[in-house]
Structures are given as structure tokens and as C-alpha cells.
Amino acid sequence: MSGDDGANRWGIIGRLTVKRETWESQSEDETMLSEEEARNQVSKERDFSSRQTAVFDDGTNTFFWRAHSLTVLAFMIICFLFVSLIEDQKDDTAFNTKRGLGACVLAFCLFGMTQAKDGPMVRPHPAFWRLFLCLSIVYELALVFILFQTADDSRKLMSYLDSELGKPLPEQSYAEECRLYDPDPNHPGGHFHNFWDKWDIFVFSHLVGWYFKMLMIRDYWVCWVISVMFEVLEYSLEHQLPNFAECWWDHWLMDVLICNGLGIWFGMMTLNYLNIKTYSWRGLWHIPTYSGKLKRIVLQFTPYSWTKFEWRPTENLHRWLAVLGIISLFLLAELDTFYLKAILWIPPPHFLNWIRLMVYVPTGAVALRETYQFMDDPNCKKFGQQSWLIAAIIVTEFLIVLKFDFQLVMRPFPPHVTMGWSIGLALLFVYTLWRFCFHFFIGKRRRTTSATVDHSSETSQHVKSEPVHSSNHRVYQNGDSKQSAGNGTSKSSSPYRTRYRARTANGT
């Protein structure tokens, strides 16, 4: 074999070895990638579990915690026997209809309290949260029924429930007198009478409402975004609902800073306590003292454990869109309250508004807990039942508003409002593209370029070890040189030759 044939031979062997090592390197990279994905999966599971507080429970299962399904069934049948066999019948159609509907709701709730699936909340008792799950189902069914009626028939239905309803509400604006300081020294209310006249029971309910919202959302900045955005919505919708019109200091001083701010602050203090609290539970009969038993009964109405929420909206596009969706649904639920009152003619102090609020608070807390677990826990593959219901309720309420008074909702916005929302939405869209599209692709391109450079450097290191041939002289990377023996083969111990022999001996 000539020297050129030998060079070609060793060149082919070297290229084959480089290709083989490249393939092995890619296989190792894929193995490392799968291992990295597995580690990320385990890391996510640990991250979610690390946000849950440790719980110490002696495992006591008392009579209080049992299902009592047969007891509830017997109680319901006894009630029905009393109505059907003992109670005197009344020829009052309205009374019988109302009581019959109430009995249907009661029977459904009793079934749900004993048979429905448990959610993430267990205190004071799982049946308590099952009850509110059933009430939210009943409320959604009532909304669906109203959706298939007309506005007039729905108002008549409201008057059927309460004779005080079914009457048009007066349009009321809160922006007639917006002077924060009145220079008149003879006014009986003082110089700041306009400010003090705004203080009523709704200020306290505002503060308490935001306290519970903070406990539900468990995030300082998300709460502030919702608080400020709702005031912006009130500014934007003054032309549709006059009661959105408020003085500037009513918006930003009383609502945002005082009511919302204090509610958020108190909620944050409570969250800090719940995050560091030790959750240790013992059965009531294992506590020797009466004071300890009384304290344990009171603690039954506190959380069994606590999960710290970290929404991290800018971590990826999915979380960003999810948090935007949560904020949007929150704001839509707030707007539904005012529009439903105006369209169905329900005055603000009416008990129906308070019942709706009482259903929303516990069910909303469960819904956000399920939503957060669905977003953060890789083992959670199904959207929660209460989250599903709350989303359906909010959307159904909005559809009722659209159907019953479409002209009100579609009333043209003032030019400055349209311009402001257009700029705001455009900036939000541009930021989303930059943060999660352009920024992502730029980072991915840099990572690809870096990986290519690393791969090229590794390949060049292999190629450098290949001998450089001349017609009769062979020079190696390590500085050794061997004279070719005419048309004989070289006796040098080439690195590729050694590696090739070793792999051939191993059967590779």
C-alpha cells in the first residue's frame, strides 16, 4: 500500500471515529436532557410541596369526622314523612311553590354533603365545603334558568321571591359635591363634611372584602393590580352606570388607600402568621384539661394546613396568561355585581346581594386553591370542580347582562377612555410578545449558537489528533515524526488507530 493509500485509510478511519464519537456525544446529550427533565419534574413537585406547611396529626378519627350518610338519609326521610302524613295541607300555591323549591335545594345539598367529592379544604369539616359546592351548583342552575327568560320575566321572578323587588332603581351618582375641603366655617359637619359623609357600612364591608380577597389570592401585587384596575374600570364605565361616578378622593383615598389598602395589609399580616404557624392537631379526647378542649374546639375553625402561593406570572407564557385570566375573571365578577343589580332592579342592601357574596367568598377561596395547584403541581392533571363552577358562574352572569341590556353594555365609550384602553392593551400585548416570544427566541438562538460552538470545539480537538501526511513523511500532533518506508505502511501508533483497535477488540 502506498503512503497516499495509507493516509486515505487513516483519514477514513479518523472520520468514522469522529462520527461515532459525535453520535455517542449526542446520545449522551439526549440522556442528560431526559435526566434534566426528570430532575425538573422532581424539582417542581418539591417546590409545590415545599410551599405547604408541615402538619402533625395524631390521626384521631372521631364521630365528628365520619360521613354519617345513613344518618342524613334517615333524617331527610323522617322530614318527608312528617310533611306527607302529619302536617296539614295549605291551599296557598305561592307558599307551597316556595317551600317545595326550598325542599329541593335542601335535598340536593344533603346528598352533596354526604356524597360529593372532597376538595382541598377540610376545616371546620369537609361537609361544610361540600355544602358550598352544592350551593354554587344551585346558583349556577338558577342563573342558567334566568338566562333563558326575558328581562321583564326575570324581574317578575325577583318580585315573586320578595315583593319589595321588581321596582326600578333610582340612578344615583356619588360625584355631585367633590370638594374635599369646604371653606365654609358655618357648616355643621365641618370643613371635611363631604369626606365624612361617605363613611357608612359599605366602607367597612369594603375593607373586610379585601381582607378576604387577600386570603384568597395570597399575593400582594396581584391584589394591588386588581384594586387599581377596578377603580380604572369605574372611571371608564361612568357613562353606563351612574353609580360608578365618584369623586377622585373617593376613588383613590377612601377606596384604594384606606379600604383596599388596609384590607390587603391586614390580610398580609394574617398570611405571614399562617405561613409560619405550627400545625399540630390532637383529638379532643386526648386533651386532659377543659381549657385545652375549649381551645381545640375554637381551633377547629382555623386552617388544617396552609399553602403559600407564588404565582410567578413572568416565569413562562402559560403562567402569564393564567394570571391575566384570573385577574380578568376577578374584575368581571366585580362588574357583574353592579350590572346585575342595575338590570334586575335589586337594591344594594338587599339580602340577595349578601347571599351571593356569602357564596362567592368560600367557593372562590377553594377555586383559587384548586387553580394554583393545577398550575403549580405537575401531578395535578385535572381542573378543579369548584374552579370550573366559579368560572361558569362568572361567565353566565355576564351573559345575562349582555342579553338583558345589550345596549347598555355596548354604549360607546368616550374618546379619552377608548384611547387610554387602546394604549394600555397595546402595551400589554407588546410586553407579552417581547417577554415570551422575542426574548425566548433570542435566548434559544444564543443557547443553540453556544451549543454549536462547544460541539465544533470538541470536533476540532478530535480532528487535531489526526496525522498530517506528506508523500513520505508523517507529522503527528504530539510532535513525533516517522519516516514512511517507501511503499510500506507506517509503524506509528496513531491515536485513531489505537482507539480503532481497542474498539474492534471490544466488538464496537
Side-chain angles (χ1 to χ4, degrees), residues 35 47 67 83 159 164 177 183 206 214 233 235 251 259 267 312 327 335 365 376 393 399 409 439 470 475 504:
E35 292 177 354
D47 287 344
V83 172
S159 63
E164 297 297 326
E177 182 59 57
H206 219 66
M214 184 64 184
L233 285 173
Y235 269 120
H251 279 294
C259 297
R312 305 190 307 278
I327 294 174
L335 292 178
D376 210 61
I393 286 172
L399 293 177
V409 179
H439 189 68
S470 62
V475 181
T504 305

Side-chain angles (χ1 to χ4, degrees), residues 14 109 111-112 127 139 142 171 180 213 231 268 359 363 405 448 472 507:
C109 290
F111 168 79
Y139 181 55
E171 295 184 353
L180 182 59
K213 288 175 187 176
E231 300 302 324
M268 186 172 60
V359 172
T363 56
D405 205 338
T448 305
N472 59 358

Side-chain angles (χ1 to χ4, degrees), residues 121-395:
M121 308 288 190
V122 296
R123 290 294 175 88
H125 195 281
F128 174 82
W129 302 100
R130 297 188 211 122
L131 171 63
F132 278 96
L133 173 68
C134 296
L135 291 177
S136 61
I137 295 174
V138 172
Y139 181 55
E140 171 62 11
L141 294 176
L143 290 174
V144 172
F145 178 80
I146 293 175
L147 182 64
F148 283 83
Q149 312 305 312
T150 63
D152 292 335
D153 290 341
S154 299
R155 292 163 185 158
K156 292 178 181 178
L157 179 62
M158 296 295 108
S159 63
Y160 181 76
L161 295 176
D162 186 355
S163 58
E164 297 297 326
L165 299 178
K167 302 174 184 177
L169 299 179
E171 295 184 353
Q172 183 178 2
S173 174
Y174 299 95
E176 292 86 2
E177 182 59 57
C178 287
R179 290 185 301 174
L180 182 59
Y181 178 82
D182 188 357
D184 184 8
N186 298 322
H187 195 281
H191 294 293
F192 296 96
H193 62 89
N194 289 327
F195 179 78
W196 297 115
D197 289 343
K198 300 291 183 180
W199 289 83
D200 51 19
I201 186 61
F202 294 104
V203 173
F204 177 75
S205 63
H206 219 66
L207 189 151
V208 174
W210 272 101
Y211 172 78
F212 283 108
K213 288 175 187 176
M214 184 64 184
L215 296 183
M216 293 163 59
I217 301 173
R218 307 181 195 180
D219 188 277
Y220 180 81
W221 293 108
V222 174
C223 281
W224 273 111
V225 169
I226 295 175
S227 174
V228 173
M229 284 304 301
F230 183 73
E231 300 302 324
V232 174
L233 285 173
E234 284 190 327
Y235 269 120
S236 306
L237 299 172
E238 290 178 354
H239 65 289
Q240 295 183 4
L241 293 181
N243 58 354
F244 279 154
E246 297 177 347
C247 301
W248 68 267
W249 45 267
D250 198 350
H251 279 294
W252 304 111
L253 294 182
M254 293 187 63
D255 288 349
V256 175
L257 292 181
I258 298 177
C259 297
N260 302 0
L262 286 177
I264 292 173
W265 185 79
F266 284 123
M268 186 172 60
M269 294 298 102
T270 306
L271 289 177
N272 292 336
Y273 169 74
L274 293 173
N275 288 331
I276 64 174
K277 180 180 180 293
T278 301
Y279 294 87
S280 180
W281 305 105
R282 287 195 297 167
L284 188 64
W285 305 113
H286 295 172
I287 301 175
T289 62
Y290 289 105
S291 60
K293 294 179 185 293
L294 181 62
K295 181 181 178 181
R296 177 63 181 82
I297 292 174
V298 174
L299 290 177
Q300 185 66 29
F301 296 90
T302 62
Y304 177 78
S305 64
W306 196 255
T307 301
K308 183 180 180 181
F309 286 3
E310 292 181 4
W311 294 103
R312 305 190 307 278
T314 58
E315 183 176 283
N316 53 56
L317 182 60
H318 295 288
R319 297 187 75 91
W320 174 256
L321 295 178
V323 173
L324 289 181
I326 291 171
I327 294 174
S328 301
L329 284 178
F330 240 98
L331 294 173
L332 185 59
E334 297 278 359
L335 292 178
D336 287 343
T337 304
F338 293 90
Y339 279 93
L340 287 175
K341 288 190 298 185
I343 292 174
L344 298 179
W345 299 344
I346 303 175
H350 198 269
F351 71 89
L352 287 179
N353 293 320
W354 294 104
I355 291 177
R356 176 182 178 271
L357 182 62
M358 290 173 60
V359 172
Y360 252 113
V361 171
T363 56
V366 177
L368 281 171
R369 174 63 173 78
E370 292 176 344
T371 302
Y372 180 78
Q373 185 170 0
F374 181 73
M375 292 171 53
D376 210 61
D377 187 0
N379 295 322
C380 182
K381 306 297 183 182
K382 186 177 180 181
F383 199 52
Q385 55 186 4
Q386 193 67 76
S387 303
W388 191 95
L389 271 171
I390 284 293
I393 286 172
I394 295 173
V395 174

